[in-house]
């Protein structure tokens, strides 16, 4: 596994660079910032972002794994780097570049959180929240939305989980999406009313959400092409 102390030092350096990036105004300065950030990929013993972005998310996670076990500290560090690099590209109105980096960063943070990452100075919950907000204008792939749905559900943030479910269904009512929705509402039947209230999804809204999901699924089924 990659040395934790080294990753922590890299994150501290990256945090200092991030503070400087907030002050950048000119296009030239931002391009210089991207070159500076690119150096951090070498510190993580990884190829630059333009090569990493060609990989699928599962391939990326395999790249930072040893004997099949992802290096969670490295995953968090890489996610932070991609997130900040994405912010620079977004400030340059290069939205395709920024969106790709934000999406991979969110996947890495969710995967690390799910696998139990615990890194001082880099709370996955905060990083997930920040990256989720950065991705509001962008689409998120199905497999990442499913991870996000599980994450919010496990945290008892049921309203946020339902928002993700409908974001998933609005993109494409796939079998995975329908099954995830059915599991979600079936699970909510067992949740006490008090916990639902705390999760900002009272019982009446749960029933309304289930009905809405069924209606969307039925409409998608009617619109699906029929085999001759």
């Amino acid at each position: 596994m990659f040395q934790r102390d080294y990753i922590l030092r890299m994150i501290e350096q990256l945090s200092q660079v991030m503070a400087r990036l907030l002050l950048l105004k000119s296009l030239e300065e931002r391009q210089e910032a991207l070159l500076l950030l690119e150096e951090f990929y070498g510190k993580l013993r990884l190829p630059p972002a333009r090569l990493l972005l060609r990989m699928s998310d599962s391939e990326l996670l395999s790249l930072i794994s040893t004997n099949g076990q992802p290096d969670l500290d490295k995953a968090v560090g890489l996610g932070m780097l991609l997130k900040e690099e994405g912010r620079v590209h977004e400030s340059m109105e290069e939205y395709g570049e920024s969106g790709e980096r934000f999406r991979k960063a969110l996947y890495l943070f969710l995967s690390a959180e799910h696998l139990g990452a615990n890194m001082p100075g880099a709370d996955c919950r905060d990083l997930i929240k920040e990256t989720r907000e950065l991705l509001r204008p962008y689409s998120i792939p199905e497999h990442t939305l499913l991870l996000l749905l599980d994450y919010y559900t496990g945290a008892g943030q049921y309203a946020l989980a339902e928002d993700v479910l409908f974001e998933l269904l609005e993109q494409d009512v796939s079998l995975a999406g329908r099954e995830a929705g059915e599991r979600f509402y079936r699970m909510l039947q067992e949740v006490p009313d008090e916990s639902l209230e705390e999760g900002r999804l009272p019982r009446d809204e749960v029933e309304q959400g289930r009905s809405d999901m069924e209606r969307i699924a039925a409409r998608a089924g009617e619109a699906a092409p029929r085999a001759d």
Side-chain angles (χ1 to χ4, degrees), residues 146-198:
L146 289 169
L147 285 175
L148 192 58
L149 173 62
D150 288 343
Y151 167 72
Y152 283 138
T153 302
Q157 296 176 291
Y158 302 123
L160 292 177
E162 188 179 57
D163 289 344
V164 171
L165 173 63
F166 280 93
E167 185 174 344
L168 179 66
L169 295 175
E170 286 167 6
Q171 286 189 13
D172 180 23
V173 187
S174 67
L175 177 60
R178 290 197 301 272
E179 290 178 344
E182 290 167 1
R183 286 194 304 272
F184 177 65
Y185 287 113
R186 191 162 55 244
M187 179 276 300
L188 291 181
Q189 288 181 332
E190 308 301 322
V191 176
D193 289 349
E194 181 179 347
S195 297
L196 289 177
E197 294 285 348
E198 290 175 358

Side-chain angles (χ1 to χ4, degrees), residues 64-80:
I64 57 174
S65 297
T66 303
N67 297 324
Q69 296 298 317
D71 186 326
L72 302 185
D73 293 345
K74 197 170 184 178
V76 173
L78 176 57
M80 292 178 69

Side-chain angles (χ1 to χ4, degrees), residues 30-221:
R30 291 168 184 166
Q31 290 171 334
E32 290 176 0
L34 291 175
L35 292 175
L36 180 61
L37 287 170
E38 192 168 311
E39 295 177 7
F40 282 90
Y41 291 98
K43 293 181 179 182
L44 283 171
R45 300 177 188 171
L46 291 171
R50 63 181 178 276
L51 298 180
L52 296 176
L53 293 176
R54 296 176 186 173
M55 298 180 182
S56 68
D57 289 344
S58 59
E59 289 172 338
L60 184 59
L61 202 59
S62 295
L63 182 68
I64 57 174
S65 297
T66 303
N67 297 324
Q69 296 298 317
D71 186 326
L72 302 185
D73 293 345
K74 197 170 184 178
V76 173
L78 176 57
M80 292 178 69
L81 179 53
L82 287 165
K83 177 171 73 73
E84 295 312 316
E85 196 175 43
R87 290 174 65 184
V88 178
H89 279 289
E90 190 172 59
S91 73
M92 298 165 67
E93 299 184 0
E94 295 176 348
Y95 301 117
E97 297 290 339
S98 58
E100 282 297 310
R101 286 161 175 79
F102 292 153
R103 281 187 278 267
K104 288 213 177 308
L106 181 60
Y107 174 80
L108 288 169
F109 295 145
L110 286 166
S111 298
E113 169 71 14
H114 176 71
L115 294 170
N118 179 22
M119 193 167 188
D123 189 324
C124 281
R125 293 168 298 181
D126 291 338
L127 293 168
I128 290 169
K129 182 178 180 180
E130 293 168 9
T131 313
R132 166 64 167 159
E133 288 304 312
L134 289 169
L135 275 165
R136 290 292 179 188
Y138 303 88
S139 64
I140 301 176
E142 179 181 79
H143 65 277
T144 304
L145 285 173
L146 289 169
L147 285 175
L148 192 58
L149 173 62
D150 288 343
Y151 167 72
Y152 283 138
T153 302
Q157 296 176 291
Y158 302 123
L160 292 177
E162 188 179 57
D163 289 344
V164 171
L165 173 63
F166 280 93
E167 185 174 344
L168 179 66
L169 295 175
E170 286 167 6
Q171 286 189 13
D172 180 23
V173 187
S174 67
L175 177 60
R178 290 197 301 272
E179 290 178 344
E182 290 167 1
R183 286 194 304 272
F184 177 65
Y185 287 113
R186 191 162 55 244
M187 179 276 300
L188 291 181
Q189 288 181 332
E190 308 301 322
V191 176
D193 289 349
E194 181 179 347
S195 297
L196 289 177
E197 294 285 348
E198 290 175 358
R200 300 180 181 274
L201 192 66
R203 183 72 60 189
D204 60 333
E205 293 186 18
V206 170
E207 297 307 319
Q208 182 62 54
R210 182 199 292 273
S211 296
D212 291 342
M213 182 195 70
E214 292 173 350
R215 184 165 54 253
I216 291 171
R219 188 165 61 242

